[in-house]
Protein backbone atom coordinates (compact mmCIF):
# COMPACT_ATOMS: atom_id res chain seq x y z
CA UNK A 1 0.00 0.00 0.00
CA UNK A 2 1.07 3.56 -0.72
CA UNK A 3 0.53 6.27 1.88
CA UNK A 4 0.38 9.94 0.85
CA UNK A 5 0.81 12.36 3.75
CA UNK A 6 -0.14 16.02 3.44
CA UNK A 7 -2.91 14.83 1.12
CA UNK A 8 -4.92 18.07 1.15
CA UNK A 9 -2.05 20.28 -0.04
CA UNK A 10 -1.25 21.20 -3.62
CA UNK A 11 0.90 18.15 -4.40
CA UNK A 12 -1.14 15.75 -2.28
CA UNK A 13 -4.33 16.73 -4.09
CA UNK A 14 -2.72 16.08 -7.48
CA UNK A 15 -1.43 12.69 -6.28
CA UNK A 16 -4.95 11.74 -5.20
CA UNK A 17 -6.15 12.46 -8.73
CA UNK A 18 -3.41 10.29 -10.26
CA UNK A 19 -3.28 7.42 -7.76
CA UNK A 20 -6.94 7.10 -6.82
CA UNK A 21 -7.62 3.96 -4.80
CA UNK A 22 -4.05 2.71 -5.24
CA UNK A 23 -3.07 4.71 -2.15
CA UNK A 24 -4.23 5.70 1.32
CA UNK A 25 -4.31 9.41 2.12
CA UNK A 26 -3.64 11.14 5.42
CA UNK A 27 -3.78 14.73 6.58
CA UNK A 28 -2.91 15.96 10.07
CA UNK A 29 -6.36 15.03 11.39
CA UNK A 30 -5.89 11.39 10.35
CA UNK A 31 -2.18 11.04 11.13
CA UNK A 32 0.01 13.52 13.01
CA UNK A 33 3.37 12.60 11.49
CA UNK A 34 5.23 14.29 14.38
CA UNK A 35 3.51 12.11 17.02
CA UNK A 36 5.72 9.06 17.44
CA UNK A 37 3.09 6.86 19.04
CA UNK A 38 0.57 7.72 16.33
CA UNK A 39 3.08 6.99 13.54
CA UNK A 40 4.20 3.74 15.19
CA UNK A 41 0.60 2.57 15.61
CA UNK A 42 -0.33 3.49 12.04
CA UNK A 43 2.50 1.48 10.51
CA UNK A 44 1.79 -1.44 12.85
CA UNK A 45 -1.83 -1.60 11.67
CA UNK A 46 -1.35 -0.79 7.98
CA UNK A 47 0.79 -2.61 5.41
CA UNK A 48 2.52 0.49 4.04
CA UNK A 49 5.03 -0.30 1.29
CA UNK A 50 6.00 3.32 0.55
CA UNK A 51 5.25 6.76 1.98
CA UNK A 52 5.06 9.81 -0.27
CA UNK A 53 5.61 12.59 2.24
CA UNK A 54 4.04 15.81 0.99
CA UNK A 55 3.40 17.14 4.51
CA UNK A 56 5.37 20.28 5.33
CA UNK A 57 5.31 23.51 7.29
CA UNK A 58 5.56 25.89 4.33
CA UNK A 59 4.79 29.36 5.75
CA UNK A 60 8.31 30.69 5.21
CA UNK A 61 7.84 33.98 7.08
CA UNK A 62 5.86 32.53 9.97
CA UNK A 63 8.54 29.88 10.47
CA UNK A 64 10.96 32.62 11.55
CA UNK A 65 8.77 33.24 14.61
CA UNK A 66 7.68 29.59 15.08
CA UNK A 67 10.84 27.52 14.57
CA UNK A 68 9.62 24.73 16.86
CA UNK A 69 6.42 24.30 14.84
CA UNK A 70 8.38 24.22 11.57
CA UNK A 71 10.89 21.73 12.99
CA UNK A 72 8.11 19.48 14.27
CA UNK A 73 6.70 18.88 10.80
CA UNK A 74 9.70 19.39 8.53
CA UNK A 75 12.32 17.50 10.55
CA UNK A 76 10.65 15.32 13.20
CA UNK A 77 7.75 14.23 10.96
CA UNK A 78 10.16 13.21 8.18
CA UNK A 79 12.31 11.35 10.72
CA UNK A 80 9.42 9.33 12.17
CA UNK A 81 8.04 8.35 8.77
CA UNK A 82 11.54 7.19 7.80
CA UNK A 83 12.13 5.25 11.01
CA UNK A 84 8.86 3.32 10.93
CA UNK A 85 8.26 3.03 7.18
CA UNK A 86 9.98 0.81 4.61
CA UNK A 87 10.42 3.24 1.73
CA UNK A 88 9.88 6.96 1.44
CA UNK A 89 9.69 9.61 -1.26
CA UNK A 90 10.23 12.86 0.59
CA UNK A 91 9.56 16.29 -0.91
CA UNK A 92 12.10 19.03 -0.19
CA UNK A 93 12.97 22.47 -1.49
CA UNK A 94 15.44 24.80 -3.20
CA UNK A 95 15.57 26.71 0.11
CA UNK A 96 18.28 24.30 1.32
CA UNK A 97 20.63 26.45 -0.82
CA UNK A 98 21.60 30.04 0.03
CA UNK A 99 20.81 31.37 -3.46
CA UNK A 100 24.20 33.02 -4.02
CA UNK A 101 24.98 30.80 -7.04
CA UNK A 102 24.64 31.70 -10.71
CA UNK A 103 24.35 28.28 -12.35
CA UNK A 104 21.65 25.67 -11.68
CA UNK A 105 22.21 23.86 -8.38
CA UNK A 106 23.09 20.18 -8.64
CA UNK A 107 22.09 17.61 -6.03
CA UNK A 108 25.66 17.36 -4.70
CA UNK A 109 26.28 21.10 -4.40
CA UNK A 110 26.93 22.49 -0.88
CA UNK A 111 23.80 23.36 1.08
CA UNK A 112 23.52 26.51 3.21
CA UNK A 113 19.93 27.50 4.09
CA UNK A 114 19.35 31.12 5.08
CA UNK A 115 15.91 30.75 6.71
CA UNK A 116 14.27 28.66 9.42
CA UNK A 117 12.13 27.01 6.76
CA UNK A 118 15.23 26.07 4.74
CA UNK A 119 17.09 24.80 7.80
CA UNK A 120 14.20 22.63 8.99
CA UNK A 121 13.71 21.19 5.50
CA UNK A 122 17.43 20.38 5.32
CA UNK A 123 17.22 18.74 8.75
CA UNK A 124 14.32 16.69 7.39
CA UNK A 125 16.43 15.57 4.42
CA UNK A 126 19.23 14.50 6.75
CA UNK A 127 16.81 12.57 8.95
CA UNK A 128 15.41 10.73 5.92
CA UNK A 129 18.90 9.81 4.71
CA UNK A 130 19.86 8.63 8.19
CA UNK A 131 16.81 6.58 9.15
CA UNK A 132 15.10 5.37 5.97
CA UNK A 133 15.88 1.95 4.50
CA UNK A 134 15.13 3.16 0.98
CA UNK A 135 14.60 6.82 0.11
CA UNK A 136 14.20 9.31 -2.70
CA UNK A 137 14.33 12.99 -1.79
CA UNK A 138 12.87 15.27 -4.45
CA UNK A 139 13.73 18.96 -4.16
CA UNK A 140 11.36 21.28 -5.98
CA UNK A 141 10.63 25.03 -6.13
CA UNK A 142 7.91 27.65 -6.64
CA UNK A 143 5.10 25.08 -6.46
CA UNK A 144 1.57 26.09 -7.49
CA UNK A 145 -1.71 24.43 -8.50
CA UNK A 146 -5.44 25.07 -8.78
CA UNK A 147 -5.94 24.39 -5.05
CA UNK A 148 -4.69 26.06 -1.88
CA UNK A 149 -2.87 29.36 -1.50
CA UNK A 150 -0.16 30.06 -4.05
CA UNK A 151 1.39 32.79 -6.19
CA UNK A 152 -0.70 32.10 -9.29
CA UNK A 153 -4.01 32.36 -7.45
CA UNK A 154 -2.85 35.47 -5.58
CA UNK A 155 -1.83 37.19 -8.83
CA UNK A 156 -5.15 36.32 -10.45
CA UNK A 157 -7.04 37.77 -7.49
CA UNK A 158 -4.98 40.96 -7.53
CA UNK A 159 -5.19 41.15 -11.31
CA UNK A 160 -8.98 41.17 -11.12
CA UNK A 161 -9.02 43.84 -8.39
CA UNK A 162 -6.22 46.28 -9.28
CA UNK A 163 -4.78 48.30 -12.14
CA UNK A 164 -1.19 47.57 -11.09
CA UNK A 165 0.75 45.29 -8.75
CA UNK A 166 4.41 45.31 -7.69
CA UNK A 167 6.37 42.05 -7.83
CA UNK A 168 10.00 41.23 -6.98
CA UNK A 169 12.16 41.04 -10.10
CA UNK A 170 15.57 40.11 -8.62
CA UNK A 171 14.74 36.62 -7.29
CA UNK A 172 15.26 33.98 -9.97
CA UNK A 173 13.93 30.42 -10.13
CA UNK A 174 11.53 28.11 -11.93
CA UNK A 175 7.78 27.71 -11.30
CA UNK A 176 6.59 24.12 -10.87
CA UNK A 177 3.05 22.97 -11.64
CA UNK A 178 2.09 20.49 -8.91
CA UNK A 179 0.36 18.21 -11.45
CA UNK A 180 3.66 17.81 -13.33
CA UNK A 181 5.57 17.00 -10.14
CA UNK A 182 2.89 14.47 -9.12
CA UNK A 183 3.17 12.78 -12.51
CA UNK A 184 6.95 12.48 -12.13
CA UNK A 185 6.62 11.01 -8.64
CA UNK A 186 4.44 8.19 -10.03
CA UNK A 187 7.24 7.48 -12.53
CA UNK A 188 9.88 7.39 -9.77
CA UNK A 189 8.04 4.78 -7.70
CA UNK A 190 8.76 1.73 -9.90
CA UNK A 191 12.43 2.67 -10.18
CA UNK A 192 13.18 2.79 -6.44
CA UNK A 193 16.03 0.35 -5.74
CA UNK A 194 15.85 -1.41 -2.37
CA UNK A 195 18.42 0.03 0.02
CA UNK A 196 19.27 3.04 -2.16
CA UNK A 197 19.09 6.64 -0.96
CA UNK A 198 19.11 9.36 -3.62
CA UNK A 199 18.39 13.07 -3.95
CA UNK A 200 16.83 14.42 -7.16
CA UNK A 201 15.83 17.87 -8.36
CA UNK A 202 12.60 18.49 -10.24
CA UNK A 203 10.96 21.70 -11.41
CA UNK A 204 9.49 22.64 -14.74
CA UNK A 205 11.98 23.78 -17.39
CA UNK A 206 13.02 27.37 -18.00
CA UNK A 207 14.08 30.23 -15.76
CA UNK A 208 12.28 33.42 -14.72
CA UNK A 209 11.87 36.00 -11.97
CA UNK A 210 8.74 36.36 -9.84
CA UNK A 211 8.09 39.48 -11.96
CA UNK A 212 8.26 37.45 -15.19
CA UNK A 213 5.98 34.82 -13.66
CA UNK A 214 3.42 37.47 -12.66
CA UNK A 215 3.51 39.04 -16.14
CA UNK A 216 2.76 35.61 -17.65
CA UNK A 217 -0.13 35.01 -15.23
CA UNK A 218 -1.71 38.36 -16.15
CA UNK A 219 -1.13 37.89 -19.88
CA UNK A 220 -2.47 34.32 -20.06
CA UNK A 221 -5.42 35.18 -17.80
CA UNK A 222 -6.40 38.10 -20.03
CA UNK A 223 -6.00 40.70 -17.27
CA UNK A 224 -4.92 44.28 -18.05
CA UNK A 225 -3.32 44.71 -14.60
CA UNK A 226 0.18 46.13 -15.03
CA UNK A 227 3.05 44.38 -13.22
CA UNK A 228 5.71 46.71 -11.78
CA UNK A 229 9.21 45.31 -11.06
CA UNK A 230 10.47 45.67 -7.47
CA UNK A 231 13.79 44.88 -5.82
CA UNK A 232 13.92 42.57 -2.80
CA UNK A 233 14.88 45.58 -0.66
CA UNK A 234 11.68 47.33 -1.77
CA UNK A 235 9.58 44.36 -0.67
CA UNK A 236 11.03 43.28 2.68
CA UNK A 237 9.86 40.01 4.22
CA UNK A 238 10.40 38.32 7.56
CA UNK A 239 12.47 35.49 6.05
CA UNK A 240 15.36 35.80 3.63
CA UNK A 241 14.68 34.20 0.22
CA UNK A 242 17.33 32.69 -2.07
CA UNK A 243 18.10 35.24 -4.81
CA UNK A 244 18.86 32.37 -7.21
CA UNK A 245 17.04 29.05 -6.79
CA UNK A 246 17.31 27.36 -10.19
CA UNK A 247 17.72 23.58 -9.84
CA UNK A 248 19.55 21.35 -12.33
CA UNK A 249 17.40 18.47 -13.61
CA UNK A 250 20.22 16.62 -15.40
CA UNK A 251 20.27 13.74 -12.90
CA UNK A 252 16.53 12.98 -12.95
CA UNK A 253 16.43 13.19 -16.76
CA UNK A 254 19.42 10.84 -17.00
CA UNK A 255 18.19 8.25 -14.50
CA UNK A 256 14.49 8.19 -15.42
CA UNK A 257 14.40 9.46 -19.01
CA UNK A 258 11.57 11.88 -18.33
CA UNK A 259 10.49 14.81 -20.47
CA UNK A 260 10.03 18.01 -18.47
CA UNK A 261 7.48 20.62 -19.65
CA UNK A 262 8.38 24.31 -19.76
CA UNK A 263 6.95 26.39 -16.92
CA UNK A 264 4.71 28.41 -19.27
CA UNK A 265 3.17 25.17 -20.55
CA UNK A 266 2.42 24.08 -16.98
CA UNK A 267 0.97 27.50 -16.20
CA UNK A 268 -1.36 27.34 -19.22
CA UNK A 269 -2.71 23.96 -18.11
CA UNK A 270 -3.21 25.17 -14.54
CA UNK A 271 -5.06 28.29 -15.73
CA UNK A 272 -7.37 26.16 -17.89
CA UNK A 273 -8.25 24.13 -14.79
CA UNK A 274 -8.83 27.28 -12.73
CA UNK A 275 -11.13 28.69 -15.39
CA UNK A 276 -13.28 25.56 -15.72
Amino acid sequence: MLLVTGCRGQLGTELQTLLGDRAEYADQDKLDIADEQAVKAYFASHDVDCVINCAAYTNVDQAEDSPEAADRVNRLGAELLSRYGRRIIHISTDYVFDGTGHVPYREEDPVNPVSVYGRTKLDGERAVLRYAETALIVRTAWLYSHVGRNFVKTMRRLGSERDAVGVVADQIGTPTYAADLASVITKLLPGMQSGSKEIYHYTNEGVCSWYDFAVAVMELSGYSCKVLPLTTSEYPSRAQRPAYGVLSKMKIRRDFGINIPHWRDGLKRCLRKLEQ
Side-chain angles (χ1 to χ4, degrees):
M1 180 192 85
L2 288 169
L3 170 64
V4 177
T5 56
C7 67
R8 289 194 295 190
Q10 298 182 111
L11 182 57
T13 298
E14 298 290 356
L15 283 167
Q16 288 191 64
T17 300
L18 288 177
L19 294 171
D21 59 9
R22 288 184 287 162
E24 292 283 324
Y25 304 95
D27 57 19
Q28 188 176 14
D29 295 338
K30 185 173 181 179
L31 175 63
D32 181 353
I33 65 169
D35 180 335
E36 183 167 7
Q37 293 308 311
V39 173
K40 185 177 180 179
Y42 189 93
F43 281 96
S45 60
H46 295 76
D47 185 23
V48 179
D49 176 59
C50 184
V51 179
I52 304 174
N53 182 31
C54 306
Y57 188 106
T58 57
N59 190 321
V60 177
D61 290 320
Q62 192 172 304
E64 295 296 312
D65 299 313
S66 306
E68 298 86 1
D71 177 79
R72 189 175 184 275
V73 181
N74 294 343
R75 192 268 310 167
L76 179 58
E79 176 181 320
L80 294 176
L81 292 172
S82 300
R83 282 170 56 187
Y84 290 100
R86 296 175 193 152
R87 302 190 298 163
I88 185 169
I89 295 179
H90 176 69
I91 309 305
S92 192
T93 173
D94 64 309
Y95 277 60
V96 300
F97 299 110
D98 59 18
T100 60
H102 300 286
V103 295
Y105 285 103
R106 300 168 301 168
E107 288 81 356
E108 64 270 22
D109 283 339
V111 289
N112 184 35
V114 293
S115 65
V116 169
Y117 170 68
R119 287 194 293 274
T120 58
K121 289 298 289 182
L122 178 58
D123 288 343
E125 287 188 9
R126 289 171 170 163
V128 168
L129 293 174
R130 179 178 179 183
Y131 291 104
E133 293 178 15
T134 303
L136 286 182
I137 293 170
V138 182
R139 293 177 182 148
T140 192
W142 295 23
L143 199 67
Y144 67 92
S145 79
H146 69 289
V147 300
R149 295 173 58 190
N150 58 65
F151 183 81
V152 171
K153 293 177 73 175
T154 297
M155 286 300 108
R156 280 172 59 84
R157 176 177 57 80
L158 295 175
S160 67
E161 297 171 351
R162 301 184 185 180
D163 296 325
V165 61
V167 179
V168 171
D170 57 359
Q171 293 174 19
I172 308 299
T174 308
T176 307
Y177 183 27
D180 290 341
L181 177 56
S183 177
V184 165
I185 288 170
T186 65
K187 294 179 173 69
L188 300 183
L189 277 164
M192 291 183 75
Q193 301 295 319
S194 181
S196 69
K197 300 179 184 183
E198 294 283 353
I199 298 175
Y200 287 99
H201 290 169
Y202 180 84
T203 64
N204 282 117
E205 287 289 13
V207 176
C208 68
S209 67
W210 287 109
Y211 165 81
D212 298 321
F213 192 18
V215 168
V217 173
M218 299 304 179
E219 172 197 322
L220 295 172
S221 299
Y223 294 147
S224 58
C225 178
K226 187 174 183 180
V227 183
L228 308 174
L230 301 177
T231 63
T232 296
S233 61
E234 290 177 300
Y235 191 82
S237 60
R238 184 73 180 85
Q240 185 178 342
R241 266 77 170 168
Y244 183 87
V246 181
L247 300 176
S248 168
K249 278 83 68 178
M250 289 178 62
K251 182 179 177 182
I252 200 167
R253 280 199 303 264
R254 180 196 71 204
D255 289 0
F256 292 92
I258 60 172
N259 293 314
I260 303 177
H262 191 271
W263 67 263
R264 281 184 66 98
D265 176 64
L267 177 59
K268 289 175 185 176
R269 284 181 280 117
C270 181
L271 292 177
R272 283 199 293 269
K273 187 169 284 190
L274 280 168
E275 290 164 0
Q276 285 176 356

